[in-house]
Amino acid sequence: MSNEIGIDRVLLADFFRAVDQRRITQCESLLQQVQGLSSQNPHADYWYAYFSAILTDIRDSDWAEAERQYHTVLAIPQISQFLRGQALLSLGISYWRQGRWREAEDTHREALRIYTETREILEQVKTQNNLAALYWSGFSQGDFDTRVLPKAEVFCAISLKALDNLAQTPDVLSLYAMVWNTLGMVSMSLGHWERAIECYKQVLSCQDQLDSAYGMGIAYANLGETYHRQGSAHFDEALRQYDKALAIFENGNHYTEALDIRANLGALYASRTQFAQSLENYAAAIQLSEKLRLGLTSEVARAGYFSTINDIFANAVLTCHQLGLTDQAFNYAEQARSRAFLDLLEAGPVDLARDIGALPMTLAQVQKALPENALLLEYFTTGLLEARQDAGGEPMRHRFPPPRTLVFAITRDEAHLVDADIAPNDLYPQDPEAMVSRDLLTPFMRRILFTKLVARFHHLLEQKALLYLVPHGPLHYVPFQALLGPDDSTLLAAHGPQIVYAPSATVLLRSPNKPQPTVEPNMEAANAPCLAVGHNGGDVQLTFAEEEARGVAALMHGRALVGDVATKANVLAYAPRAHMLHFSCHGTFEPASPLDSALHLANGEILTARDVLAQLKLHCRLVTLSACESGLNRVQRGDELFGMVRAFMFAGAAALIVTQWRVDERSTHILMERFYQNLQQKMSIPQALQEAQLYLRSLTRAQVEDIFRRLVMESKKLDAAMLNVVLKGHVSPQEGMATQTDSGANSADQERVFDDPYHWAPFVLIGSCQITESAID
């Protein structure tokens, strides 16, 4: 027994060699040996816990549970520094697989610090190789640019130099194979083909000496990819190498690796324009992905690991488009939309294990469920990049789908699929913090976007009362209702269709599962028609938020929580029995951690999207988030939306009204008052919002002044001095309001002061088709 690490090094080496070669039975046998040592050595229990976590990771592919187990080991104060480093490495690999690059890099660097201090040369090499592979992996998935590749080369060179000075033991041979493999991948990405091939031949030599079929399979796969990337003249050799690798992986039930080979074969056959064979392999890859139990633990993790699977779905959709298979293309698009969110709900830091329905709907099912008077425009984007490219030009990324924007136009009787001929990456906001670019609101861009995204199906809208929009990727940032047609009329028009957004056709058309209310039967707010929450406080004081909540509650005969009683505890207590929820307050969006996006309540409290997911079960028809940035969600390549929208929908809301960008609280107050008046007139939710937006656009300066004079007269909180401030346009300019100059204030009374789409277009209705069928009772 080695006192400094707490376990026999031979046993440790045997276990990791079995792990590297995926010899699961041997791993389990060694785990039992460690358990048998617990009576003699207390450190054996710690190593048993760590080895168990590794088996949970590689045998069960249950990354959520493995990650929890790694954290449990790291929380034990008595573990040796060596074991701490090992657990950090394993945890870092878990982060890396999930695309949580910052966490993965930080965890690996902490492990490297430990092993440098303790002079564990082999562990230093292993950690340096992992960092190199991490950089390459992030680059290959489009999250890092080419500047990380030289860093990876340096780590590989340092590692090989260190190994050259050591005796050629099995452990050293195994590390040689790992480093040569990483250097081969980096060389391949840089287009250094001969060096890459030489690297993989070195890997084959090492794995042959180690008698590792799994390791040889990895080498064959990478050799195949190297030949594949060199072009059609090398495709036959690439196929031979892929076939060798696939035979090994399928025989060993290595689903992740077999999936990767199938995806490569799909790309190779597509390059040969053999689209039927290409689709066959993409379909096989997708089937393999369903065998993987990938319970990941972070909302940020979704599109990280799944960028590989998302790219497979994207390529499958594009291949179907090439073959004219609109139905299969749509089915894959819907499946791709649901994949990441479903896996997020399977496991995580909050308990999200609720019934969310069956598989995504097929095109045939969607057409059958679609109302006769509706047109569905569903978009699908591919080739999305999150990393800015450096001056060196476009990097070489294997299997990375081309940037395309596809449009499905669907009615009860027709289904069309076309390429919109617009690069989706160009629609991302230049300033990530702004989330929605003002550039998209210029008349020029609104005309271009209408032409590309709507115009060719405009004839299908002529007899339709409803337009369902399902954006994808950066199209979530497009203000569709403000797009300008040939006659310069907006898509939102008096005689135009009512517009409803949805995360997917399945969410739109499938009957929702309604959670059961969880409050006590005798609670005062039981069965309340409406709960309106308003709070003026925050970094910038609001003026009308609390008045808005009082007005909504009065109109809808509900309860208002305003001022000091607008607390998180009260919201959680009263919300489950309300038929409608209305929030008028500050809201913030957290791009780095979207489930920490929040509504700001009394006493400095916040209600986060994470709180909504974990603590609320609703049965309401409508949630209105009349708050700054309430509708903003982080858009990932897998199109998973993280933020308040998904949180409230998952909590049980049938529909939400949210804002796409920072809103003017004056125009918001007017729009919301009109909207709820419309609901009182028994309009449907889409009709009520459409009319309220058109009403807001039509108001003249004189009418706006009359509205706010009435508000001051009716309010107990506002006065004439505040009215003057309001009418001069100086209320909360930090919130993004369009302020007016003194000369503007003296302009003609008939000026339509809220005609700019900045004021009326941010409000969107997201939900299911059931909300269009009748008014709220």
Side-chain angles (χ1 to χ4, degrees), residues 333-408:
E334 277 290 295
Q335 193 176 350
R337 289 176 188 276
S338 67
R339 173 70 192 244
F341 189 58
L342 293 175
D343 283 315
L344 169 65
L345 303 181
E346 182 178 309
V350 293
D351 178 17
L352 305 179
R354 301 177 192 168
D355 180 17
I356 60 172
L359 294 173
M361 297 175 73
T362 65
L363 177 59
Q365 292 169 328
V366 165
Q367 288 188 282
K368 184 177 180 180
L370 198 63
E372 288 277 6
N373 64 342
L375 169 66
L376 168 64
L377 292 181
E378 178 160 335
Y379 300 89
F380 191 78
T381 55
T382 65
L384 303 181
L385 290 170
E386 293 183 7
R388 296 286 182 186
Q389 298 308 314
D390 63 343
E394 182 69 17
M396 301 181 65
R397 291 198 171 97
H398 187 53
R399 290 199 321 250
F400 205 66
R404 296 284 187 273
T405 300
L406 302 182
V407 188
F408 296 91

Side-chain angles (χ1 to χ4, degrees), residues 652-723:
L656 290 94
I657 292 177
V658 297
T659 58
Q660 287 182 299
W661 56 80
R662 292 179 183 270
V663 291
D664 178 337
E665 65 165 328
R666 297 167 304 173
S667 57
T668 299
H669 183 90
I670 295 172
L671 183 142
M672 288 298 165
E673 182 180 60
R674 184 73 170 196
F675 168 71
Y676 284 103
Q677 288 172 346
N678 291 340
L679 290 182
Q680 285 291 87
Q681 297 301 314
K682 301 302 181 181
M683 291 186 187
S684 68
I685 297 173
Q687 183 183 8
L689 180 61
Q690 178 190 44
E691 195 283 334
Q693 289 174 298
L694 293 170
Y695 169 76
L696 180 65
R697 292 178 63 180
S698 71
L699 290 176
T700 64
R701 181 179 299 279
Q703 290 172 319
V704 171
E705 290 179 357
D706 288 343
I707 290 171
F708 281 105
R709 286 193 181 94
R710 172 181 55 80
L711 178 63
V712 169
M713 291 179 62
E714 295 174 353
S715 173
K716 299 177 181 179
K717 301 291 184 179
L718 302 177
D719 54 27
M722 179 59 71
L723 173 65

Side-chain angles (χ1 to χ4, degrees), residues 598-629:
L599 300 173
H600 292 250
L601 304 175
N603 306 321
E605 296 177 349
I606 60 174
L607 180 72
T608 67
R610 196 182 304 277
D611 294 330
V612 173
L613 283 168
Q615 300 182 54
L616 274 182
K617 288 187 178 182
L618 304 174
H619 67 155
C620 59
R621 295 275 319 267
L622 176 67
V623 173
T624 300
L625 303 181
S626 176
C628 298
E629 299 185 324

Side-chain angles (χ1 to χ4, degrees), residues 278-289:
S278 173
L279 184 58
E280 179 183 341
N281 280 282
Y282 285 136
I286 290 170
Q287 287 181 342
L288 283 168
S289 75

Side-chain angles (χ1 to χ4, degrees), residues 186-441:
V186 174
S187 301
M188 187 164 47
S189 294
L190 291 170
H192 301 160
W193 310 120
E194 294 303 321
R195 187 173 73 171
I197 290 171
E198 181 57 34
C199 287
Y200 294 134
K201 287 181 178 178
Q202 292 282 356
V203 175
L204 278 173
S205 175
C206 293
Q207 298 293 1
D208 184 50
Q209 294 178 65
L210 291 167
D211 193 25
S212 171
Y214 176 82
M216 294 185 74
I218 293 293
Y220 287 135
N222 287 329
L223 274 171
E225 188 173 321
T226 305
Y227 289 117
H228 181 174
R229 289 193 182 198
Q230 292 182 71
S232 57
H234 301 271
F235 280 176
D236 288 340
E237 184 60 32
L239 281 173
R240 281 191 287 271
Q241 301 297 332
Y242 283 152
D243 286 343
K244 292 178 186 177
L246 188 61
I248 291 172
F249 294 145
E250 289 186 340
N251 185 59
N253 292 326
H254 303 302
Y255 298 131
T256 303
E257 292 78 6
L259 179 152
D260 203 56
I261 297 297
R262 287 291 187 181
N264 281 342
L265 288 168
L268 189 151
Y269 282 117
S271 298
R272 282 183 159 179
T273 67
Q274 295 175 269
F275 294 114
Q277 293 93 326
S278 173
L279 184 58
E280 179 183 341
N281 280 282
Y282 285 136
I286 290 170
Q287 287 181 342
L288 283 168
S289 75
E290 297 304 319
K291 294 183 178 182
L292 299 175
R293 184 183 174 203
L294 299 176
L296 308 184
T297 60
S298 165
E299 66 276 8
V300 180
R302 300 282 57 90
Y305 173 80
F306 281 113
S307 61
T308 297
I309 295 177
N310 291 332
D311 289 347
I312 292 171
F313 274 113
N315 283 320
V317 171
L318 291 172
T319 304
C320 288
H321 181 41
Q322 287 282 352
L323 292 169
L325 302 174
T326 298
D327 55 345
Q328 288 190 44
F330 180 85
N331 297 345
Y332 281 134
E334 277 290 295
Q335 193 176 350
R337 289 176 188 276
S338 67
R339 173 70 192 244
F341 189 58
L342 293 175
D343 283 315
L344 169 65
L345 303 181
E346 182 178 309
V350 293
D351 178 17
L352 305 179
R354 301 177 192 168
D355 180 17
I356 60 172
L359 294 173
M361 297 175 73
T362 65
L363 177 59
Q365 292 169 328
V366 165
Q367 288 188 282
K368 184 177 180 180
L370 198 63
E372 288 277 6
N373 64 342
L375 169 66
L376 168 64
L377 292 181
E378 178 160 335
Y379 300 89
F380 191 78
T381 55
T382 65
L384 303 181
L385 290 170
E386 293 183 7
R388 296 286 182 186
Q389 298 308 314
D390 63 343
E394 182 69 17
M396 301 181 65
R397 291 198 171 97
H398 187 53
R399 290 199 321 250
F400 205 66
R404 296 284 187 273
T405 300
L406 302 182
V407 188
F408 296 91
I410 301 168
T411 67
R412 270 281 186 95
D413 305 314
E414 300 180 50
H416 305 274
L417 172 59
V418 301
D419 189 331
D421 190 29
I422 186 170
N425 292 303
D426 293 343
L427 299 177
Y428 277 117
Q430 294 297 311
D431 178 8
E433 296 300 320
M435 299 307 295
V436 175
S437 173
R438 184 79 191 217
D439 294 339
L440 297 183
L441 290 175

Side-chain angles (χ1 to χ4, degrees), residues 5 9 12-13 16 47 50 81-83 85-87 89 108 111-116 118-131 159 162-163 166 171 175 178:
I5 69 170
R9 286 183 181 266
L12 179 66
F16 280 115
W47 281 98
Y50 172 57
Q81 283 292 84
F82 187 89
L83 176 52
Q86 293 294 304
L89 275 181
H108 273 84
L112 183 59
R113 182 193 65 77
I114 289 174
Y115 290 134
T116 301
T118 57
R119 299 184 180 182
E120 294 282 352
I121 303 299
L122 294 183
E123 303 310 319
Q124 289 180 49
V125 169
K126 184 189 302 182
T127 308
Q128 289 165 168
N129 177 72
N130 281 5
L131 281 165
S159 298
L163 292 173
L166 302 176
D171 289 338
L175 283 174
M178 291 170 57

